[in-house]
Amino acid sequence: MPLPATSASLIRAVLAVLSGALASALLVLAAPVAYAGGDGLVRQEVTFRGGGGLLLHGTILSKDGPPGPGPGIVLVGGSGAGPRQEYRQEAEAFARAGITTLVYDKRTVGYSLLHRNLGLLADDALAGVRLLQSSSGVDPRQVGLWGFSEGGWVAPLAASRSADVAFVVTIGGSGYDPLRTETWNLTTHLRHRGVGGPFRRTVAGPTAQFMASTGLFPAAGYDPVRVLERLHRTPVLALWGEHDTQVPPQESARIFRETLARAGNRHVVIRFIAGGAHNGHRTSDGFDRIGGPLFHGKKLGELAPGYAQTMTSWVRAVAAGHPLTSSATPAPGQALTTTPVPGHAWYAWLAPALLLLGFAAYPVSALLRRGPVLRPVRWLAGLGLLAVVAAVACPFAVFVAGDSAAAPVAWGRPAVWLVVQGLAVAVVASAGVSAAALWRRRPTPSWAAWLRVAPVGLAAVGFVPWAVWWGVAA
């Protein structure tokens, strides 16, 4: 029996009220819950949409007490996976100073060893700025960015795209493009391991050119100078550790200072953290860390003395409407100067490719066509293939795995590189033996036989200048 119209309307109204109440309850349950950690700080777990709509997870830290409109800052991490725990000490230092802080897990979608989109990372940072602007206790006009290492490229890029960014703090930011920066980082660490100049020049020269020409190094040509030139009025605090061994601190500070001055920015403060490493944490020489928590089994080091106070006092001055006028402290010494990476060149990748094809031609032809096989030429082909592959792979592994790929070191060279040099000698010796064997057999070999030998012979001839250029002969 159908219900009367009035009864049906009443039921629908009751259901609507109940569903609304249920939805409100679910929203309350799903909303981020702030909790005090017993250390004077309040933490709030949040999620927000970054570049491309990707869901990012983070934590907002603030000082426990009556909320008031104060400054906020978004922490942008360095290269790699970058979970938020890596920057816990900085986040807590800002929050204790009354600066509401967002620290978030770095994206793993659209970011990898072979793909680095700094623009996408900048979109993530700006999404974090918008989140803080809408947070209670934050003055939406005083939200800035802090960028570490790779974040030293991302934070200025984000600020150049949006007027919402009130200020920028960088620590360990490089004034050079990523590839030139990485070659300096690698050669500095190789030097620390006792690797001599010849192999370091191979890494910084032909190998870096090979990486750029093949597109294997992501964002190799990103130019931070063009971005800094767009920061006309944004106050900038640029910091480097006294013992930074991952970006060239002296050269980078000069580039920041000169570029921002040329842009007309009168609020650029450049400082060096005494006893600080690349990340501003305590170190004795830049290669170790002193104290602090463990992260993935490695010490992060505790914050260097004065590091946090320098940042927090500067941010508070900016938020109060009194940004410091431009100044710079003297830069510490820099053990190595950077070297420009050679420009893209076809021969950087084509030369080894042609050598491989030339050496491979003889064994391939032997498989495809029956006939006499000269043992010395067979050895030449095999050794040539092995030498070219090993010569490229050895310094390439340094780019992939870092300076640890060069261990162990003997006589100023990675032990593997000594093997490569031995293979190169064996290739030259095999070429001589093969030429002598062919001479003794003349005029027996047919034109077909000579055509089979020609590619490996040309490869052997071309191998010598290539090995000199690649640094194998040094």
Side-chain angles (χ1 to χ4, degrees):
M1 179 178 178
L3 292 172
T6 53
S7 300
S9 300
L10 180 63
I11 292 174
R12 283 196 296 270
V14 171
L15 289 175
V17 171
L18 289 175
S19 62
L22 179 60
S24 299
L26 290 174
L27 284 174
V28 171
L29 291 174
V33 178
Y35 59 93
D39 56 357
L41 299 179
V42 175
R43 294 167 175 81
Q44 183 181 16
E45 302 303 314
V46 295
T47 57
F48 60 101
R49 297 284 178 183
L54 180 68
L55 193 65
L56 300 173
H57 304 272
T59 305
I60 294 178
L61 295 87
S62 57
K63 194 173 183 178
D64 195 5
I73 194 166
V74 178
L75 306 192
V76 182
S79 62
R84 73 191 92 159
Q85 290 82 3
E86 188 172 349
Y87 310 105
R88 178 178 61 81
Q89 294 181 81
E90 285 84 354
E92 291 175 350
F94 279 119
R96 288 194 186 97
I99 304 165
T100 302
T101 305
L102 168 64
V103 57
Y104 59 93
D105 295 331
K106 188 174 180 178
R107 66 166 53 237
T108 55
V109 177
Y111 181 94
S112 66
L113 182 65
L114 296 177
H115 179 76
R116 185 181 304 177
N117 188 331
L118 298 181
L120 198 58
L121 297 178
D123 290 341
D124 292 345
L126 289 176
V129 169
R130 291 190 292 270
L131 176 65
L132 270 193
Q133 287 178 321
S134 64
S135 301
S136 61
V138 176
D139 183 347
R141 299 167 300 174
Q142 294 298 335
V143 177
L145 292 169
W146 173 95
F148 161 60
S149 194
E150 180 187 77
W153 290 314
V154 175
L157 177 59
S160 72
R161 292 179 171 183
S162 174
D164 289 339
V165 179
F167 55 85
V168 170
V169 179
T170 64
I171 172 68
S174 176
Y176 290 118
D177 61 81
L179 184 54
R180 183 168 177 173
T181 301
E182 181 63 8
T183 57
W184 186 86
N185 168 36
L186 292 174
T187 53
T188 299
H189 282 74
L190 288 171
R191 179 177 180 267
H192 180 69
R193 283 188 177 270
V195 176
F199 183 75
R200 299 203 308 264
R201 284 191 290 272
T202 295
V203 170
T207 310
Q209 187 178 35
F210 175 83
M211 299 287 286
S213 300
T214 56
L216 291 174
F217 195 92
Y222 174 81
D223 187 0
V225 171
R226 292 185 179 181
V227 173
L228 292 173
E229 287 174 341
R230 298 200 293 269
L231 299 184
H232 308 291
R233 291 178 294 275
T234 307
V236 175
L237 172 63
L239 304 171
W240 289 269
E242 177 188 20
H243 302 295
D244 196 330
T245 60
Q246 291 179 252
V247 307
Q250 188 180 78
E251 296 176 58
S252 295
R254 175 183 54 79
I255 292 171
F256 268 64
R257 183 182 68 251
E258 294 177 355
T259 304
L260 290 166
R262 190 167 60 247
N265 194 324
R266 295 179 295 174
H267 300 290
V268 179
V269 175
I270 292 175
R271 295 287 184 268
F272 294 90
I273 307 301
H278 175 56
N279 61 354
H281 294 212
R282 289 185 61 199
T283 182
S284 63
D285 59 359
F287 298 96
D288 64 359
R289 299 293 183 269
I290 300 173
L294 291 176
F295 181 74
H296 288 179
K298 294 183 180 180
K299 271 189 178 181
L300 284 177
E302 60 191 31
L303 302 186
Y307 170 41
Q309 196 276 333
T310 298
M311 293 191 295
T312 56
S313 62
W314 181 86
V315 170
R316 294 193 65 81
V318 171
H322 306 295
L324 301 180
T325 55
S326 295
S327 64
T329 55
Q334 189 178 294
L336 296 176
T337 57
T338 65
T339 54
V341 175
H344 292 209
W346 57 268
Y347 56 80
W349 61 268
L350 186 59
L354 290 176
L355 290 175
L356 290 174
L357 287 173
F359 286 123
Y362 191 75
V364 170
S365 66
L367 291 174
L368 297 178
R369 181 177 177 179
R370 297 192 175 208
V373 177
L374 293 176
R375 188 181 297 273
V377 180
R378 184 172 58 185
W379 274 98
L380 172 61
L383 288 170
L385 284 170
L386 188 58
V388 173
V389 170
V392 173
C394 182
F396 177 80
V398 174
F399 272 93
V400 174
D403 60 292
S404 60
V409 177
W411 299 294
R413 295 171 174 81
V416 177
W417 193 244
L418 290 173
V419 175
V420 172
Q421 292 181 313
L423 286 171
V425 172
V427 170
V428 175
S430 294
V433 172
S434 297
L438 287 170
W439 181 262
R440 286 195 301 268
R441 290 174 62 93
R442 66 181 180 86
T444 306
S446 63
W447 280 107
W450 281 113
L451 288 175
R452 288 177 57 199
V453 172
V456 70
L458 291 173
V461 171
F463 176 81
V464 175
W466 178 81
V468 172
W469 173 70
W470 194 259
V472 177

